[in-house]
Amino acid sequence: MYSQALNTRDTSTDSSPEAIRFQARIDDEQRIEPNDWMPEAYRRTLIRQISQHAHSEIVGMLPEGNWITRAPSLRRKAALLAKVQDEGGHGLYLYSAAETLGVAREDLEDQLLSGRAKYSSIFNYPTLSWADIGTIGWLVDGAAIMNQIPLCRCSYGPYARAMIRVCREESFHQRQGYEIVLTLCRGTTEQKAMAQDALDRWWWPCLMMFGPPDTDSLHSDTSMRWKIKRFSNDGLRQKFVDATVPQGHFLGLTFPDPELRFDETEGHWQFGAIDWDEFRAVLSGNGPCNRERLEARRKAHDDGAWVREAALAHAAKQRKTA
Amino acid sequence: MNTPLWEVFVRTRNGLAHKHAGSVHAADATMALQAARDVYTRRGEGLSLWVVPSNAIVASDPADRDMLFEPTGSKIYRHPTFYEVPDEVGHM
Ligand SMILES: [Fe+2]
Ligand SMILES: [Fe+2]
């Protein structure tokens, strides 16, 4: 909505009066709004981050959508349908926030469909059993909540407001997931084994969701200074592990990490080394489902083309006869 | 042609005025309202929706902020606390 008067060039350096005023506003916890002056790099960073976040929500609908028609009861089906619809909504809130920075929705979509844009590595893993749906809600949405709560205070107003809306909806996602896993764990031996198998497969990819370790995370410093980010990747990962391990033990499940142990002095759960080669492979397009996910998005986009065209033609005709 | 952008305003059940919620893309106003319903009111958040073509909104320029809003800073006599009422009179 505000994109008409956006700054297009960045003639200033970090020491320009505008840049100094900008940083002072951020230090003062003020929100930056679409029409305000901002460094070009701040705008670029946000466009990249918000659109990647939006793409993740949209692609994230696919692994769970896979089980909607096979949900074991009407209650589970209604809940899963509502959850997947929420994720679509999250994607749309976020595209809407990104557009206030002066990018067109069509360009963002194009970046995703052409494979140039990144999205969260986690959605390139397959959902092999119903237990995966419970585990995704519990762990993937749980990790997303850890990531998203600090973003509600992000310095960029439209992003922060979108995140507040998202966070309000996420809690249902995590609870419905945990309930599914709990039901399986209280069920037959086979059902409990399904839950354990899902945890075994999803645990490490979930830890990777927080991104590379702080020692080699590229953009962190500037993002922290701009208050786009408020906690480090490793900090959030630790918070997630500390919150999740007791929940898993309550279920009677075992985490697939022989090194996992509680450090009394630190008050934290210590975990083993993460396989960062796997993370990089998935991120660069070689995960188990990367190709399938993009193909599904492209097919949906192409199959919907005639609907978009017809709607525009109808609108044009209505304007003419009005 | 790109699908037009619409700004969405929701009036919530608490009786306050319509409030900006975000935006949607839609070919026409009817579809914009339907999309806004699906995207911004999935949990009974609203009792009324407005959709407005984004390019119809005229926004004030942040660079004009001081010129527009600064003058009221010195007009403290517009606030009730500017006026003295003796304690004996009680709450007014
Ligand atoms: Fe989400
Ligand atoms: Fe979610």
Side-chain angles (χ1 to χ4, degrees), chain A residues 1-2 4 25 35-36 85-86 89-90 92-93 96 99 105-106 165 169 172-173 308 311-312 314-315 319, chain B residues 1-5 7 20-23 25 27-28 31 39-40 42-43 54-55 57 59-60 62 65:
Chain A
M1 87 189 260
Y2 306 93
Q4 299 101 321
R25 288 186 61 197
N35 258 350
D36 292 344
Q85 196 187 5
D86 271 357
H90 297 174
L92 296 177
Y93 308 155
S96 162
E99 286 177 281
R105 170 82 60 95
E106 287 78 4
R165 199 175 269 282
E169 301 179 347
F172 137 61
H173 299 177
R308 292 191 297 276
L312 284 171
H314 176 72
R319 269 196 306 276
Chain B
M1 190 193 141
N2 287 351
T3 309
L5 185 64
E7 298 304 321
H20 185 244
S23 61
H25 284 261
D28 60 30
M31 292 181 79
V39 176
Y40 294 102
R42 284 192 305 282
R43 288 176 175 77
S54 297
N55 57 18
I57 290 183
S60 66
R65 193 163 54 195

Side-chain angles (χ1 to χ4, degrees), chain B residues 44-64:
Chain B
E45 293 92 334
L47 295 177
S48 163
L49 279 174
W50 287 351
V51 290
V52 181
S54 297
N55 57 18
I57 290 183
V58 181
S60 66
D61 187 335
D64 296 338

Side-chain angles (χ1 to χ4, degrees), chain A residues 57 87 90 170:
Chain A
E57 302 282 355
E87 305 301 3
H90 297 174
E170 285 293 356

Side-chain angles (χ1 to χ4, degrees), chain B residues 12-89:
Chain B
T12 52
R13 44 185 69 249
N14 59 17
L16 296 178
H18 284 79
K19 192 175 158 203
H20 185 244
S23 61
V24 292
H25 284 261
D28 60 30
T30 311
M31 292 181 79
L33 271 177
Q34 284 168 357
R37 198 272 316 252
D38 289 346
V39 176
Y40 294 102
T41 63
R42 284 192 305 282
R43 288 176 175 77
E45 293 92 334
L47 295 177
S48 163
L49 279 174
W50 287 351
V51 290
V52 181
S54 297
N55 57 18
I57 290 183
V58 181
S60 66
D61 187 335
D64 296 338
R65 193 163 54 195
D66 288 353
M67 185 188 75
L68 288 171
F69 307 114
E70 193 53 42
T72 65
S74 58
K75 297 179 174 55
I76 48 171
Y77 46 84
R78 285 177 173 168
H79 297 278
T81 46
F82 182 74
Y83 302 92
E84 223 163 273
V85 175
D87 287 346
E88 296 91 305
V89 179

